[in-house]
Amino acid sequence: MTRVPILMYHSVTERPNPETRPLAVRTSVFAEQMSLLRDRGFSPLSLGGLTEAFHSGTVPGKPIVVTFDDGYADFHSDALPVLERHGIPATVFVTSGWLADAGRHAAGRPLDTMLSWSQVREAVSCGVEIGGHSHSHPQLDQLPDRDLAGELRTNKALLEDETGRPVVTMAYPYGYSSARVRREVARAGYSTACAVANALTSAVHDRLALPRLTVAANTTMGKFLRAVEGSGIPLIYLKERALTKGYAVVRRTRYGWHKARGRV
């Protein structure tokens, strides 16, 4: 069974700000990582491309998917030139209410300078797949049903209107979802969605909860190589996996408490 690394990036910059620094990857390091993928003979796909390959049974040798969450402006200035230089497709999950020129649709509080709509469209023209990431970047599993549906549908509609392309992939803000959230994601028209989980993806995974591997400021080249080659992933992501599982219990308890009191 083919197991696929889906890499999760956020910011790519030589000058990360304090709020994004833990998840920011230096541009020079990112370039080294992408060069490694090419040198090691990986076959990069967009998330949508991977979904189609799973469906048709045409997954190439050494597949890998490169994704970016939130939609920071440095994707356009720093990451995209590197991706184009190496011929690597990517998927960017965009928070529509955070964009620099969101205007009357502005919502939430972006953590750094964000892409503009024109930069999103330029990325699409370069072959980048645009996916959804909610409208205001809330914790989706804590929202009432009506707000949850609005976050998903507003995000999808704006992205499709502005890019002129169907948007059928998404990633959960903070990586959090639940059976209720996944049902609403499917109703909104998404066919594929990403969590985090820090594990490899395969064709047997729930298409609305595909695991990804975190690439962050503290990801050394040694850890990166072991991750993409699938070598000892449970061990190298032991801390992250333990925190994720522990917090999932807390979140389910919190939602149940609020629901019992009529707050959701």
Side-chain angles (χ1 to χ4, degrees):
M1 178 175 58
T2 301
R3 298 194 303 162
V4 185
I6 301 179
L7 306 180
M8 180 186 70
Y9 290 90
H10 287 78
S11 175
V12 176
T13 177
E14 292 292 345
R15 297 174 298 279
N17 76 18
E19 290 196 83
T20 60
R21 183 174 290 120
L23 289 173
V25 174
R26 300 278 180 177
T27 309
S28 55
V29 173
F30 178 71
E32 188 177 357
Q33 292 169 346
M34 295 303 101
S35 180
L36 181 148
L37 297 184
R38 277 306 184 196
D39 292 345
R40 293 273 175 163
F42 281 91
S43 301
L45 301 164
S46 66
L47 181 63
L50 177 65
T51 302
E52 292 173 6
F54 277 152
H55 180 73
S56 63
T58 58
V59 180
K62 298 194 74 170
I64 195 162
V65 178
V66 180
T67 71
F68 298 81
D69 282 12
D70 300 338
Y72 295 108
D74 55 51
F75 173 78
H76 182 269
S77 61
D78 290 52
L80 185 56
V82 174
L83 294 167
E84 289 196 288
R85 184 162 67 247
H86 291 285
I88 296 176
T91 299
V92 180
F93 299 114
V94 174
T95 304
S96 47
W98 279 13
L99 292 183
D101 52 353
R104 64 187 179 86
H105 296 294
R109 188 183 72 85
L111 304 180
D112 205 342
T113 305
M114 307 304 292
L115 291 168
S116 66
W117 280 118
S118 64
Q119 289 172 331
V120 171
R121 289 189 289 270
E122 184 178 341
V124 170
S125 73
C126 294
V128 173
E129 177 186 39
I130 299 300
H133 200 48
S134 81
H135 184 58
S136 67
H137 206 279
Q139 299 176 16
L140 294 176
D141 59 340
Q142 302 298 303
L143 295 181
D145 291 345
R146 178 181 292 184
D147 293 345
L148 170 61
E151 280 286 336
L152 297 171
R153 285 165 170 74
T154 298
N155 182 229
K156 191 173 191 294
L158 286 171
L159 292 174
E160 291 181 336
D161 287 348
E162 291 287 346
T163 65
R165 304 286 180 89
V167 173
V168 295
T169 63
M170 73 154 295
Y172 303 108
Y174 309 103
Y176 306 144
S177 72
S178 64
R180 179 181 68 97
V181 171
R182 293 189 289 275
R183 285 193 298 271
E184 194 58 47
V185 164
R187 292 190 191 106
Y190 291 103
S191 61
T192 308
C194 286
V196 181
N198 287 304
L200 297 176
T201 288
S202 72
V204 302
H205 277 102
D206 182 347
R207 295 293 171 82
L208 295 179
L210 296 181
R212 291 185 290 172
L213 301 173
T214 305
V215 186
N218 63 355
T219 304
T220 65
M221 286 303 296
K223 180 176 180 177
F224 181 83
L225 178 58
R226 293 196 301 276
V228 298
E229 294 286 4
S231 175
I233 282 179
L235 291 177
I236 63 176
Y237 284 104
L238 187 63
K239 180 180 178 181
E240 292 92 336
R241 288 159 70 102
L243 288 172
T244 298
K245 289 180 180 179
Y247 200 40
V249 175
V250 173
R251 301 181 64 75
R252 285 195 296 270
T253 302
R254 181 188 299 163
Y255 179 78
W257 188 87
H258 286 310
K259 186 174 182 180
R261 286 155 181 76
R263 297 183 184 180
V264 293

